[in-house]
Amino acid sequence: MADSDKEVGELVGKLTEPGELEPAERRRLLGRLAQALSAGAKRARETGAGRGRWLADVFLNIAPRIPIRDLHALSEHHHGLTGEQLADDLVRTAQKATMTVGAIGGALAAAEFAAPPLLLSAPAQLVAETLVVAAIEVKLLAELHEVYGVRVQGSGAQRAVAFTSAWARQRGIDPLAPASVSLAFGAAAKTALRNRLLRTLGRHLTTLGPFLTGAVAGGALNRAATKRLGEAVRNDLRGKLPPPPRRDELAQ
């Protein structure tokens, strides 16, 4: 990976790690991410790559860096919860995270709207927000598979591809249907990813409004979208395999 691509991956990884970031630190990291993405976007324009294709390439580069916890770590980090209660808590946490990113991104965009000479920098901020929200949701999707005992085999990079493809379709992975577990990104999967990222970016364009309207819209839209994803994936995963172990079984 080029230096800028590596920096993007590291920043997205920090923004999706377990635990809450201080608002000032989250804003700082989002600002750094926007700056790092600006260089890549400029190169993409120079080479004629469309924004959607570039976005998909960037996300595929950073997907293996998204921190995914196993069932034992998830239960520890969520106060010993297991099963449906753990899944509920994961979805709530992810909703809060994407809502926070949307609110921060919306506030930044609103500030740019109020200062027309700086408006040109707003798209990079929205691209940064889009990638972070996508990473949080891929993390949620992957960790819900852990909760429901649906294991995806392969290396870290291969599993990242499978979960990214599932996120693009907004569905859970059925381990009993071999075609649903793709460990390589074909043309159709990449098109689906590009379209999903562009839809997410389009949602974030609503944050380009004056005052605090962008922050409110960005937070609310992200929260609702993450909730829908969580519900869809959980419905897909329920009943696929035997129920996940109880907490007393995790220590065995």
Side-chain angles (χ1 to χ4, degrees):
M1 294 174 66
D3 288 344
S4 60
D5 293 334
K6 182 178 180 181
E7 183 182 11
V8 167
E10 291 174 348
L11 289 169
V12 172
K14 289 179 181 178
L15 283 160
T16 54
E17 285 177 352
E20 292 190 20
L21 288 170
E22 292 293 329
E25 176 66 4
R26 191 181 295 274
R27 280 193 293 270
R28 186 184 72 81
L29 291 174
L30 276 171
R32 283 183 56 193
L33 179 59
Q35 290 179 343
L37 287 167
S38 295
K42 182 179 179 181
R43 288 198 302 273
R45 286 194 296 270
E46 291 172 349
T47 59
R51 169 164 283 183
R53 194 174 80 189
W54 171 72
L55 265 178
D57 288 341
V58 171
F59 195 77
L60 285 174
N61 277 335
I62 65 177
R65 292 177 174 268
I66 299 172
I68 308 299
R69 295 166 290 180
D70 62 19
L71 182 58
H72 182 76
L74 285 168
S75 185
E76 282 193 339
H77 293 166
H78 289 265
H79 312 292
L81 296 177
T82 60
E84 294 291 340
Q85 288 182 324
L86 177 55
D88 287 342
D89 212 37
L90 282 177
V91 174
R92 280 194 296 266
T93 301
Q95 284 181 259
K96 183 177 180 181
T98 59
M99 181 176 67
T100 301
V101 171
I104 291 174
L108 290 172
E112 301 296 349
F113 189 92
L118 301 179
L119 185 58
L120 291 178
S121 65
Q125 294 165 358
L126 299 185
V127 169
E129 178 186 347
T130 296
L131 291 174
V132 173
V133 166
I136 291 169
E137 291 187 344
V138 168
K139 176 182 174 68
L140 169 65
L141 183 148
E143 292 182 343
L144 285 174
H145 282 71
E146 287 286 329
V147 172
Y148 288 98
V150 179
R151 295 291 302 171
V152 176
Q153 302 302 317
S155 67
Q158 289 174 325
R159 294 176 73 239
V161 163
F163 291 131
T164 298
S165 179
W167 175 78
R169 294 180 289 108
Q170 301 282 280
R171 300 301 300 267
I173 295 173
D174 183 353
L176 303 181
S180 71
V181 183
S182 175
L183 299 181
F185 232 80
K190 196 163 187 178
T191 297
L193 174 60
R194 182 181 68 232
N195 291 340
R196 176 60 56 188
L197 286 166
L198 285 175
R199 280 195 288 271
T200 305
L201 177 62
R203 185 171 80 228
H204 295 156
L205 287 174
T206 63
T207 65
L208 282 173
F211 308 112
L212 294 179
T213 58
V216 172
L221 290 173
N222 281 351
R223 184 178 185 278
T226 301
K227 181 180 180 180
R228 284 196 302 272
L229 171 68
E231 290 173 347
V233 171
R234 293 175 71 179
N235 286 336
D236 282 343
L237 297 180
R238 287 188 182 104
K240 291 285 192 288
L241 289 175
R246 301 184 305 273
R247 176 159 173 75
D248 58 348
E249 295 173 336
L250 292 176
Q252 297 178 5

